[in-house]
Amino acid sequence: SASTSPSFQASSLHARSRSLSIAATAVAGPMRVCRPHMAAEPILISRRSMVWVPSPPPSTPSPQLHRSQSSSSDDKPPSALSRCSWEPAGPYDTYLPQHTHLPSHSRKKRVLVLCTGGTLTMSPDERGGLAPVEGALTEWMQEMRELRQPEMPEIKVHEYSPLLDSSDMGPCDWARLAVDIKENYLHFDGFVVLTGTDTMAYSASALSFMLENLGKPVIFTGSQIPLCEAYNDARRNLIMSLIFASRDTINEVGIFFHDRLLRANRATKINTDRLLAFDSPNMEPLANIGITIDENEHLLLPQPKGRLRVHQEMDTRLMTVRLVPGFDDGVIKYAVANPETNMRALVLQLYGAGNIPSNKQSFIDVLHSCQERGIVVVATTQCLTGSVMLGHYAVGHALNDAGVVSAGDMTVEATCCKLAYLFGRGDLSEYEVKRLMSVSLRGEMTTNYDASAPPFSEKVAGITFSSHRGKSKSY
């Protein structure tokens, strides 16, 4: 303010300089020295990488790729991505500045592409089936003239080895992605994760919870048709993901597919054979693409107020049950009572707004036993849109009495990943987990307020973005 004294300003500047020096010291181990101006620094990837770099201007040196100190230095092939046999590169609660101090217009944006596999990277094998091809993505991207346009960011590609089908992706792979994003956080303006579509909603939802105080875009994408085919959706999905990953307005994990950018923990796969494979039933897209790129600015998460923190542990000792008429609750009772399962949570996909048969007292007894054993029971709906309202019908009161927690309008993917994240933290009680399931941590559920404001537009690097609040429309 204008009343601030010169001595206070001097002390503030001194404190700011001190915090920056602390940040450089904190990450000087596995990450070497991270300078906030983002000059040409080593790219630290926790596994071996294949890198394609667009030809930079002669005056701009291209950074070299380095493995973190936790990686093996011998010539043995890297282990599978899905294995958990790796050690953290260092502490993950250090102070990290969210953005660089150099104005964005004075340098080229930089995006790191992390490729785990999926249909986008596949080609027909000798039997005619599709299989991931290592190194193919790098070769295809070298031939894409669109990536050499001046408005496109500088791109680095890291291909994991071996490439995986998305059905093989799990918590260990999510942790690997989170750690690699953290290790390269200061060197890039955004990240693109290429993976298969089958479990993309789970992987992206998990990353949204694991990356606390995320201040940069992390965009998941893939394709229904491989990039090697003459007609495919991979090309546009990849290009648009790179564009959104270089946007300063996005501070969250998203999924771009077909013609829309979705919040990751609001998305679900809705189609197996159409190009519009994903949708967010209970929330408008963050952005739609057409002749212009239309952002729903009022839906975007704000800049975080804390440091980036990576939560690697995901406790997946949970079970999801979709009720059908005439179901046998004895199966659920056995799973709950069996000490070998050591279950932490039970996710129920109920009818409508959260209803169960009123004549199933034995099922209510099973839910009471869950409460006695410390098992958190969460109710979701089988409907694609809408929310769970346990008190809307009389039968819902019995669920409330049994300690069942409503998931609101969260997707099943977000519900399961949120439970795994909360239990994986290790510092929350059963009561705290239940309470936080009703709190929107990463924008995964609808709250009771909404914002409205007049529309406005901006033009960035030759691309027009129409940002507005309220109903989506183009300008």
Side-chain angles (χ1 to χ4, degrees), residues 193-244:
V193 180
L194 303 181
T195 184
T197 60
D198 288 345
T199 61
M200 183 184 295
Y202 287 96
S203 300
S205 295
L207 263 292
S208 71
F209 293 110
M210 299 171 79
L211 299 173
E212 182 182 358
N213 292 328
L214 180 64
K216 298 181 180 182
V218 177
I219 310 299
F220 277 72
T221 194
S223 68
Q224 296 284 71
I225 307 172
L227 189 58
C228 64
E229 297 291 339
Y231 169 72
N232 65 77
D233 61 329
R235 198 178 194 94
R236 180 171 66 170
N237 289 350
L238 178 58
I239 292 173
M240 290 308 305
S241 296
L242 292 168
I243 291 175
F244 281 116

Side-chain angles (χ1 to χ4, degrees), residues 126-155:
E126 60 276 3
R127 296 185 177 181
L130 292 175
V133 179
E134 294 187 12
L137 176 66
T138 305
E139 297 178 3
W140 291 327
M141 292 181 68
Q142 285 178 329
E143 300 175 0
M144 295 175 64
R145 298 180 60 183
E146 301 94 327
L147 303 183
R148 300 183 183 274
Q149 297 296 320
E151 62 268 21
M152 293 298 291
E154 180 182 347
I155 306 163

Side-chain angles (χ1 to χ4, degrees), residues 47 70 81 83-89 92 172 175-176 179 312:
R47 291 192 182 278
S70 61
L81 175 66
R83 296 176 183 173
C84 295
S85 57
W86 53 271
E87 296 295 332
Y92 294 94
C172 292
R176 170 56 64 188
V179 170
Q312 302 179 44

